Each structure stands twice: as structure tokens, then as C-alpha cells.
Amino acid sequence: MKIQLVDLKAQYRSIKAEIDTAIQGVIDESAFIKGKYVTAFENEYAESYGVKHCVSCANGTDAIYIALKALGIGVGDEVITTALTWISTAEAITQTGARVVFVDIEPTYYAIDARRIEDKVTPRTKAIIPVHLYGHPANMDAIMSIAEKHGLYVVEDCAQAHFAQWKGQNVGTFGVAGTFSFFPSKNLGAYGDAGCIVSNDDGFSVRARMFANHGSVVKHQHDTEGINSRMDGIQAAILSVKLRHVGEWNKLRIMHAKRYNELLCDVVLTPSNHPEARHVFHLYVVRTEKRDDLRKRLEANDIATGVHYPTALPFLKAYAHLGHEPRDFSVAHTCSSQIVSLPMYPELTDETQDVVVQAIRGADAIYSP
Ligand SMILES: *Cc1c(COP(=O)(O)O)cnc(C)c1O
């Protein structure tokens, strides 16, 4: 039987009755767009996350875009972000009309290298978007102090890091806003697209809510133009169910990661956990110079792997106009040829994990970390 990177069917089986009831409730009440299920989820997420406001939207890419627009960022501005992330982070910056400015990653935790941020700050810089990549928090002390020194906004891309913590504080609550994706495979995932923005700033939250809803708070009053970015009632009802379980699921991910670490640390470079960080292992990413061999070997054993991400953003064709060379982002460039994501999801069993480990440890293949 094929071992998948993520097993969403196993998760559905474990909460089927709750999910089916929730979906049926939305259909019975025709609460498809906005409405009570969306409001309920917003309140529950804000409460469990420990923030004043949760503004729901259609997906995690929109969440970043809406946050930047609500901060007034646009043409003529620059926004700094990491070289190694999903393209959404950079796309959302460009969509506002601002210029994306990449910074290399640091080699241990793979997030933006805070020591290299100040070199990229110019009079046009308005914001920094750190990404808590794979579920491991970026160094929020260093990032916040640079932001304060230069008067920059911080918008945290938390798409991979629901309930990850830096020094015991949830990521997404350090900067003016934290943005989330509820894409199905994320640690908290809907059954379609969904996203949200969390914030403790009242004015910002009103502007974000307005922009996501055609520039309107009160029906038929439009102070500005906005966009249509709404969460479906069905997705909200599903997320309310899953929110009750995500704490336990994150604990299981952390447990599986610890076990992988023990079983693999002498054959590949296993993920590091900063002493001040709570890593929630959206992805379990190991590193080896023989990455492509390793992937082939696992594929031959019917074990899925992934690479997040095979090309650092500055080297994608989409950013060729920026004229970046490998030496400009040498850490991201090297890592992208060595990283590989192994099967990781809460329902992963020890038996399944052992099959993955055996395939990696196979007698003829030792991958020096
Ligand atoms: C998934 C993801 C997003 C975007 O989320 P969507 O809901 O798919 O739009 C943004 N940033 C990162 C780092 C992600 O992993």
C-alpha cells in the first residue's frame, strides 16, 4: 500500500460523525456565505489563538494581500521576505504594486536570516513578512527589533504554523498581523480553500475586513473598492470541528517528529528545534546531499516524498527580471537541492513510520547527514 505524504482520509475517518453533522447543519440553514458559522469560527479562532480579532477570507494568499492592503502598502513601496517559501508570500506583495525584496535563509531552521535583513532596508521599505516555514517559528526577537528600529510593519505568514510558538507566544501575534491558510493539508485544514488574518489592532482589523468585503462594513455602503474574499459557511463549520482537535494533532506531529529524529539522525540531517521555539511540524524536512537518490529509493518502495521547495523564489522564472544569481542567496540555493519532506501527519502510525525509516536506512544506502 502506498504511503502518502499526508493522509487526509485517515483524519476524516477519525472525526466523520462530527464533520458530517456540521456540514449538514450549514446546508439545512443555507448559511453558505458569511453568516453564523463563519462568525462562530472567527470568534473561536480568535479566542483559542489569544487575539482580539480574526478576519476570515477565501485563502491564505488573499490573507497576506488583504493584510498588506489594509496597511496601505502599494506602488513605490518595498516589502522584505524570505527566499525560501511558497510563491504566495511574494505574489501577494507584487499584487499590491509593491516590490518584493528577498533575503536569504539561515541554514539551521530555514527561515529568513534576520542578520541579513538590515542590508536590504531602504527608505522605501514598509514591511517584513517572515514565514514560519515547515511549522518552525522564525526568530521573532531579532525580526521585531529590526522592525522597531526602522519603523516597519511585520506581517507573519503563519500558513504552515498554526499554534507554533516563539518563547511561549503564538506565532502571528508578534507583528501587526498574522495570516493563515486553511488549505486542506495544512495543520488546520478545511475541505476546500479558506484563510484568515489575526490581529490585536482594532483599526487594522476593520480595514482588513472592509477590503476583503468589497470595501464595505455596512451593506451597500462602500467607502473604497475592495475585493471579494470570503470564507464559505461549510468550510467554517468544518474548521470549527477541527479546531477542537488541532491541539492534539499538533502534539502527535511533534511526537512523530521526535521518533523520526531518533531513528534517522545518523543517516540524514534531521530538523533542528530552536530552544525557544515550539515547532509544529507541518512538514518533516530532512537534508542530504544524495536527496535525489533518496527520493528515488523511497518512490521505488511506494513511499511519497515532497520537496518544499525545489527552487528558491529568486531563481524562479517569475522573478528572473530581478537578475538574482545563486551566490546572492547561497543558503537557500544549496538547501533547495538537499531538502526532502517525509510522510508527516497526525495519524501516522509507528508501523508506517518504520517502513519509511527502513527504506531510508537500507543496507546499501547510508546518506551522511
Ligand atoms: C499554503 C501557503 C500559503 C497560501 O495559502 P493558500 O490558502 O493556498 O492561498 C501562503 N504561504 C505559505 C508559506 C503557505 O505554505
Side-chain angles (χ1 to χ4, degrees), residues 7 43 58 66 69 78 80 111 139 148 157 166 191 195 240 254 276 288 298:
D7 189 350
N43 292 336
I66 293 162
K69 291 294 285 187
E78 292 175 4
I80 290 173
N139 185 329
E148 274 154 32
D157 182 345
W166 176 256
Y191 286 175
S240 286
I254 292 166
E276 300 288 2
T288 166
L298 293 184

Side-chain angles (χ1 to χ4, degrees), residues 59-61 64 85-86 88-89 131 157 159-160 181 183 186 194 309:
N59 57 68
T61 311
I64 305 167
T85 175
W86 174 238
S88 296
T89 324
V131 180
D157 182 345
Q160 303 187 0
S181 165
F183 184 82
K186 300 285 159 99
Y309 298 90

